[in-house]
Amino acid sequence: MKRLSIRWKITALIFFIVSFSLLLGGIVIVGNFVHTKEEELKQRALLTARTVSELPEIKQNIIGTPAGRHSINAVVERLRIIHGATYIVVLDQHRIRLSHPVQEMIGKPSFGKDEGPAFAEHTYTSKARGEIGTVIRAFVPIMNNDHQQIGVVIAAYQLPSVLEALLSLKIEILLTAGLSLLFGGIGSWLLASHIKRQMFQLEPHEIAKLLVERTETFNAMHEGVIAIDKDEKITIFNDKAKQMLGIYEDVIGKPIRLILPDTHLPEILQINEPIYNKELQIRHLNILSNRIPIKVNGQIVGAVAIFQDQTEVKKLAEELTGVKAFVSALRVQNHEYMNKLHTIAGLIQLGHKEKALEYVFKITEEQAELTKFLSQKIKDDSISGLLLSKIRRGKELGIQVIIDRHSKLKKLPSALDHHDFVVILGNLIENAFDSFQTMIERKKEIYISIEQNDELLCLSVEDNGCGIDQRHLPYIFDEGFSTKDKKNRGIGLYLLQQIVRKGNGKIHVESEMGKGTIFTITFDM
């Protein structure tokens, strides 16, 4: 079965509402018409009854001869026809009918229940339902010249039924209903078309499908996603964000400041500018956040934050600065050991067995000494592995990497972990390697020192490379700043500075063009 278009559904709904409104309005109008007609008939009945009660013929004949009493009906009937009354009845004080539209009822007593007050000189109206329908009756006492009551006049007018009222208003009703339905139908179609355009010509089931797909897409993302509208109420809060921030309730529609007071997302609504790769601390969790304003037709309607746990970012940075270096070190180590094996094989072939043995002992002793030093003095395997890989990487590049044998690292500052130190050391040593790219005729050395006591941790990386231009020193920690032409540069020192700030550390840089650079970083323990 073909699904009805939303345009037709909205048109039908609005058309139904217009029709229903017309029906309710018609009921009110007809009811008001009947009520107005009732009030009008009451006044007419009273006027007619008073007219009859004041006629001299009626006053004289009601207590006169039988012939005179008999003539009352003719007079009353003429007046009934003139005034258009349904009936007019004249009663004497004994409740005997002296006039009535039905001849057989004349001369007979009336036993109406609502006639009593009229014989006590009261004038009033009532509504009664009889064989001919609902009638409005007026009761007026007949007084003689001595102001004594001698009878009662009852004037009645039939109240039109609802159908009769509708028939009397049929032209007005048809004209009003026709115009209302016509313009209501046109208006509903135009409104439905406008709503359809606002919904990008999508049907409700298509919008629902998009909403489900959007929600599942956000929940499948590896990054946390939070979005707010211009009133700072949450519109998106994906599963990864809930997992990272420890929130398990449904927060859609709630104010962001109530759920996450330190999110810094509402400030994007104020500055109307994106902020990328900003490290924040939310709920004691370090995150790397991108916060971007959401704009529709040039107007800001909200803001979205896409963020990662900084621990994961550090792991990625560690992979870039450490793990890749480990892979490179394995390749260097393979070349190094192949060369050493060739040297040993050559000495044996030349008959210099003692020299070959001496060579083996020498290289074994050097390797054992370095390994022993790193295992005893550096109490973190990731940092030891990084230093070992950088030494071997330096050998491949023709750069001697020297580790101060007085160096030691027992524990890290409380605000940092080994991922942070891998990023710091990895970036500083890689920058030192890069400083030799333009250096040819010089012994290339990198000197690394890690000193620690109960109060202070000091890390120093010194090279005798090309140095840094003094003009560039104030900008080397800016994100994206680099003196190299390669893409994706200017990130390492920026990340380093963010980590040092988090650990409440200090960075000191000394550099001279053509002589080298010294980076010194200190942390309070």
Side-chain angles (χ1 to χ4, degrees), residues 267-276 291-293 295 300:
E267 71 184 38
I268 301 298
L269 299 176
Q270 300 171 3
I271 65 176
N272 197 17
E273 293 290 339
I275 299 177
Y276 296 104
R291 289 166 291 155
I292 307 165
K295 297 182 181 180
I300 186 166

Side-chain angles (χ1 to χ4, degrees), residues 318 326 374-375 378-388 418 422:
E318 181 180 356
F326 294 159
L374 291 174
S375 64
I378 307 299
K379 300 300 183 180
D380 188 283
D381 293 339
S382 296
I383 298 174
S384 297
L386 176 68
L387 291 172
L388 188 60
H418 69 276
V422 165

Side-chain angles (χ1 to χ4, degrees), residues 227-236 251-256:
I228 59 173
D229 59 19
K230 62 181 180 180
D231 297 321
E232 299 185 6
K233 293 185 177 179
I234 299 172
T235 57
I236 299 172
V251 296
I252 301 300
K254 296 182 179 180
I256 186 68

Side-chain angles (χ1 to χ4, degrees), residues 5-7 10 195-208 210-211:
S5 167
I6 183 62
R7 182 183 286 112
I10 295 175
I195 294 174
K196 181 78 171 179
R197 288 193 300 271
Q198 293 293 105
M199 297 190 303
F200 301 99
Q201 304 297 326
L202 295 174
E203 296 295 319
H205 68 279
E206 294 174 322
I207 296 174
L210 286 176
L211 178 61

Side-chain angles (χ1 to χ4, degrees), residues 54-71:
E54 295 295 329
L55 287 175
E57 297 94 326
I58 300 299
K59 291 182 178 183
Q60 291 173 3
N61 293 326
I62 197 171
I63 56 174
T65 63
R69 289 165 64 91
H70 184 73
S71 66

